[in-house]
Amino acid sequence: MKPDLFQAPDYYNLDDLLTEEHKLIRDTARDWVKRDVSPIIEEYAQKAEFPKQIVSGLAEIGAFGPYIPEEYGGAGLDQISYGLIMQEIERGDSGVRSTASVQSSLVMYPIYAYGNEEQRNRYLPKLASGEWLGCFGLTEPNHGSNPSGMETKFKDMGDHYLLNGAKMWISNAPFAQVAVVWAKNEEGRIHGLIVERGMEGFSTPETHNKWSLRASATGELIFDNVKVPKENLLPNKSGLGAPLGCLDSARYGISWGAIGAAMDCYDTALRYCKERVQFGKPIGKFQLQQKKLSEMITEITKAQLLAWRLGTLKNEGKATSAQISMAKRNNVEMAIKIAREARQMLGGMGITGEYSIMRHMMNLESVITYEGTHDIHLLITGLDITGLNAFK
């Protein structure tokens, strides 16, 4: 395995906008990725296997629920710290960042925000430490961009709920001990239920043959007359706004994470073009290569500023769902374009596992779709600026 020589681009001196704590948190995550992720990730992506041995390391760098209060096992950090951690992890691999994002924003966040004190104390410390991993059940075989059409339902049986249905494209599903599942009650109202592995009728078959996020475990959630204790209902929020609130947090993390993937592709292409000699000189001397690199660093810088401003708004409690959608859409599109350009700059070497670019490119094909597709986020912005709903 080649040494990880990554150097993060900071063309507009954005480090000046960060606190010393922010930089310490980021650098700790960066060092961990260089030591524990980069040396193994190509092998695990080739094997289509999640490297479970890194879970404890993710917990140690605060990747699980970084903004969850310390009393529940979280790190009690701000939103910019969360974003920086996601950036560094996705610089290593989008699939590893997906594991952390799901744990933080889609499992720990709803239990913290919508759960009661007993649920917080039961689940959050184990999730923060990595002792338990969780997953989030919203997407269904027939309902992706239209989650309100979900068919998973539960009935009140007196002393428990009876849950039936299925979810798919669920990160962490094959090994998660806990699933936060969204289902409709008999009146059609959406609620969150905490489902634990081992409950009779609950299974999590793994999804195979993926060309993307190969180092991340994906699966289904199947509920066949699962008896869920009544105390496992999240009591403090219901309706579609509840899972969408979780997605806001996850999309925010993605807007930072995608920058990490883009920075890695840019840094790899920059280093390669200084070393690769054609026609008697480094290819970095050719105008078209400089054009590509100049456009890459410009787009990365714009995305960094967008994410930082969004993080500031999040810290102030002012960020809107539409603003988060814009950042997710823009930054992932930016990253996938940079990955494609960087791949071309490396020529044939760009498709090999000796470099990270092709893996990033394949991963980003999933990132541009999950947590709201590229087109759906465009329409969210359209609705926000016109007040006219294209979904109806």
Side-chain angles (χ1 to χ4, degrees):
M1 176 66 194
K2 294 168 61 177
D4 185 342
L5 302 175
F6 173 72
Q7 292 184 332
D10 185 13
Y11 201 72
Y12 261 43
N13 300 328
L14 267 75
D15 268 19
D16 293 348
L17 300 173
L18 304 177
T19 67
E20 291 305 312
E21 182 182 38
H22 287 148
K23 288 183 275 192
L24 176 62
I25 289 163
R26 180 200 60 197
D27 292 346
T28 299
R30 183 173 295 167
D31 291 344
W32 176 79
V33 168
K34 285 192 173 190
R35 184 185 69 245
D36 289 359
V37 177
S38 298
I40 65 167
I41 197 63
E42 300 297 346
E43 175 190 353
Y44 278 85
Q46 291 283 357
K47 294 191 299 184
E49 181 182 334
F50 174 70
K52 292 183 180 179
Q53 69 271 26
I54 68 171
V55 169
S56 61
L58 285 166
E60 287 170 11
I61 64 170
F64 296 148
Y67 50 79
I68 299 295
E70 293 181 71
E71 63 185 291
Y72 302 115
L77 303 175
D78 73 349
Q79 291 292 321
I80 289 177
S81 297
Y82 171 48
L84 288 166
I85 294 170
M86 295 303 104
Q87 171 187 281
E88 295 306 313
I89 295 174
E90 189 146 1
R91 203 281 297 178
D93 187 74
S94 301
V96 177
R97 197 268 309 143
S98 294
T99 296
S101 282
V102 168
Q103 185 90 331
S104 298
S105 292
L106 302 183
V107 182
M108 296 179 71
Y109 173 77
I111 293 173
Y112 172 68
Y114 310 150
N116 56 35
E117 199 65 11
E118 182 180 344
Q119 291 166 341
R120 295 183 191 118
N121 287 319
R122 171 170 168 74
Y123 296 106
L124 292 179
K126 290 183 178 179
L127 291 164
S129 69
E131 179 183 349
W132 283 2
L133 288 177
C135 63
F136 177 84
L138 181 63
T139 300
E140 296 187 355
N142 297 323
H143 303 281
S145 295
N146 178 27
S148 63
M150 71 173 63
E151 299 167 39
T152 300
K153 294 179 171 61
F154 67 98
K155 291 183 179 180
D156 188 335
M157 305 301 289
D159 62 343
H160 65 274
Y161 297 119
L162 198 64
L163 178 65
N164 281 282
K167 306 289 183 177
M168 73 181 306
W169 306 121
I170 310 300
S171 294
N172 300 354
F175 47 68
Q177 283 84 13
V178 176
V180 174
V181 178
W182 301 94
K184 289 180 178 177
N185 65 11
E186 292 163 273
E187 289 75 45
R189 184 75 175 172
I190 295 172
H191 289 266
L193 298 164
I194 302 173
V195 181
E196 296 185 35
R197 185 169 297 282
M199 290 182 177
E200 188 175 353
F202 174 42
S203 58
T204 59
E206 186 166 359
T207 303
H208 296 288
N209 298 322
K210 297 183 301 176
W211 288 107
S212 181
L213 299 181
R214 288 175 59 83
S216 174
T218 308
E220 301 174 59
L221 305 177
I222 309 296
F223 313 106
D224 182 9
N225 289 322
V226 179
K227 293 180 180 179
V228 181
K230 285 200 163 180
E231 58 266 28
N232 285 30
L233 180 83
L234 296 176
N236 293 334
K237 192 172 179 67
S238 63
L240 187 59
L244 292 184
C246 306
L247 291 174
D248 272 351
S249 181
R251 290 163 176 169
Y252 167 74
I254 290 169
S255 73
W256 281 88
I259 296 171
M263 291 195 304
D264 195 59
C265 293
Y266 165 79
D267 182 64
T268 301
L270 177 62
R271 186 175 295 107
Y272 186 86
C273 82
K274 293 177 179 180
E275 299 170 352
R276 174 67 168 169
V277 175
Q278 290 290 280
F279 304 103
K281 56 186 176 181
I283 63 173
K285 289 194 70 173
F286 291 99
Q287 291 180 359
L288 285 177
Q289 305 306 310
Q290 292 190 10
K291 174 182 183 290
K292 292 178 191 294
L293 291 167
S294 298
E295 289 175 343
M296 287 181 193
I297 192 59
T298 301
E299 294 307 312
I300 287 170
T301 300
K302 287 155 63 175
Q304 287 174 321
L305 288 163
L306 190 64
W308 175 83
R309 178 57 184 159
L310 183 60
T312 302
L313 291 171
K314 283 272 285 180
N315 282 339
E316 296 171 353
K318 296 178 181 177
T320 68
S321 296
Q323 289 170 332
I324 293 169
S325 281
M326 177 183 282
K328 190 270 184 181
R329 180 183 183 275
N330 179 82
N331 291 6
V332 178
E333 181 181 39
M334 172 277 299
I336 202 166
K337 286 181 176 179
I338 285 176
R340 289 168 180 162
E341 289 281 27
R343 206 292 306 157
Q344 289 193 54
M345 291 181 69
L346 267 68
M349 292 304 296
I351 71 167
T352 71
E354 186 175 350
Y355 296 92
S356 60
I357 293 174
M358 194 72 176
R359 175 171 49 81
H360 282 306
M361 190 193 310
M362 293 191 298
N363 285 342
L364 288 164
E365 290 291 348
S366 290
V367 180
I368 206 167
T369 294
Y370 70 22
E371 314 288 359
T373 70
H374 193 61
D375 292 343
I376 289 293
H377 284 299
L378 191 69
L379 295 180
I380 290 171
T381 303
L383 169 60
D384 193 50
I385 61 179
T386 67
L388 304 173
N389 194 341
F391 300 104
K392 294 182 180 178

